[in-house]
């Protein structure tokens, strides 16, 4: 792992994180019925900052392996898919206010994160471990998206 | 290059391309003053489909190299950055209707595409060549974004 690799993958996370800065939940989200276990608002930016750092470190570890093979290229491909889907969710849910379409994006994101986790784990144990908080958080976010969608039909 | 690598990177392109399907230009864009050289509407989906195929083939070629090194991890990192920024532009420009912020995203996208092109070129000539139409198109898109922004202040 080198600093340039870490910063490159972190730049991808900045693009994804920019959606959360530019597209705010607003009055629409505040007016929705939400489950009792909805995390407070301040948790989300803290969680995402932590997760973006973890996933950039994990990617830099895998990308920096010398003498690697196509398994690394496959794993980094899954990483690219998950960061694009991560960028897509906020505009669909908060921008378009389409909770069903947001659910589809989240399911695809969960699958992409799971694929990245498994392929990273096989290459580098620490990189795999660094993806565990991410899959846990996307599971919670998926349950929240689903519940909010059903409560506000 | 293998089919699974191609399909993985293509999945990232699907996430980016979904923004163009979900977030339509609509009446707002039609009402804007545009330069005489604006391409007709049908050109955009044709161009993007072609470019997404080219960039997925290029990524699969680079990712599939056996005995690769950190240069591949760096190049695929740039690819991940560009696909996230590609996903970000449509929600910012057409979703939020923020043409100045869209210009910033496009400049970042141009830089990420240029970095991917150069790093791919050094690893695999054909992969580099496959990025030439993309950098050309993003240059045109940048000029269009800038001109539309200035004409409609």
């Amino acid at each position: 792992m080198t600093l340039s690799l870490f910063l490159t993958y972190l730049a991808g996370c900045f693009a994804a994180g920019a959606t959360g800065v530019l597209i705010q939940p607003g009055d629409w989200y505040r007016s929705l019925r939400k489950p009792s276990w909805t995390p407070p608002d301040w948790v989300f930016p803290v969680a995402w900052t932590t997760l973006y750092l973890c996933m950039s470190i994990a990617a830099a570890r895998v990308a920096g392996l010398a003498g690697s093979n196509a398994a690394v290229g496959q794993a980094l491909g899954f990483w690219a898919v998950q960061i694009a889907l991560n960028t897509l969710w906020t505009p669909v849910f908060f921008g378009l206010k389409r909770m069903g379409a947001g659910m589809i994006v989240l399911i695809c994101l969960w699958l992409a994160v799971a694929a990245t986790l498994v392929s990273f784990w096989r290459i580098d144990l620490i990189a795999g471990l660094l993806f565990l908080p991410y899959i846990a958080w996307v599971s919670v976010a998926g349950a929240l998206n689903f519940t909010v969608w059903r409560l506000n039909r």
Side-chain angles (χ1 to χ4, degrees), chain A residues 98-111:
Chain A
R98 288 181 61 171
M99 294 185 274
M103 196 65 226
I104 293 170
V105 175
L106 257 186
I107 291 168
C108 294
L109 176 61
W110 194 95
L111 293 171

Side-chain angles (χ1 to χ4, degrees), chain A residues 60-113:
Chain A
R61 285 184 65 92
V62 170
L65 291 174
S68 58
N69 51 45
V72 168
Q74 179 68 62
L76 296 175
F78 288 137
W79 197 95
V81 175
Q82 66 80 20
I83 203 66
L85 288 164
N86 192 305
T87 309
L88 181 61
W89 184 81
T90 302
V92 170
F93 190 92
F94 289 122
L96 295 173
K97 303 178 174 57
R98 288 181 61 171
M99 294 185 274
M103 196 65 226
I104 293 170
V105 175
L106 257 186
I107 291 168
C108 294
L109 176 61
W110 194 95
L111 293 171
V113 172

Side-chain angles (χ1 to χ4, degrees), chain A residues 16-153:
Chain A
T19 61
V21 176
L22 290 167
I23 306 170
Q24 295 285 328
D27 293 336
W28 169 75
Y29 180 69
R30 271 189 290 275
S31 71
L32 292 175
R33 297 180 60 193
K34 284 183 277 294
S36 59
W37 47 270
T38 303
D41 286 352
W42 66 265
V43 170
F44 292 86
V46 173
W48 279 114
T49 303
T50 308
L51 295 173
Y52 285 139
L53 289 171
C54 286
M55 71 179 89
S56 300
I57 294 168
R61 285 184 65 92
V62 170
L65 291 174
S68 58
N69 51 45
V72 168
Q74 179 68 62
L76 296 175
F78 288 137
W79 197 95
V81 175
Q82 66 80 20
I83 203 66
L85 288 164
N86 192 305
T87 309
L88 181 61
W89 184 81
T90 302
V92 170
F93 190 92
F94 289 122
L96 295 173
K97 303 178 174 57
R98 288 181 61 171
M99 294 185 274
M103 196 65 226
I104 293 170
V105 175
L106 257 186
I107 291 168
C108 294
L109 176 61
W110 194 95
L111 293 171
V113 172
T116 314
L117 191 159
V118 171
S119 57
F120 273 27
W121 194 291
R122 287 178 180 165
I123 294 166
D124 179 82
L125 178 62
I126 293 173
L129 290 172
L130 283 164
F131 257 69
L132 283 180
Y134 189 13
I135 194 99
W137 181 257
V138 173
S139 303
V140 172
L144 184 58
N145 184 325
F146 182 77
T147 311
V148 171
W149 178 38
R150 306 298 288 194
L151 285 174
N152 299 275
R153 301 240 279 177

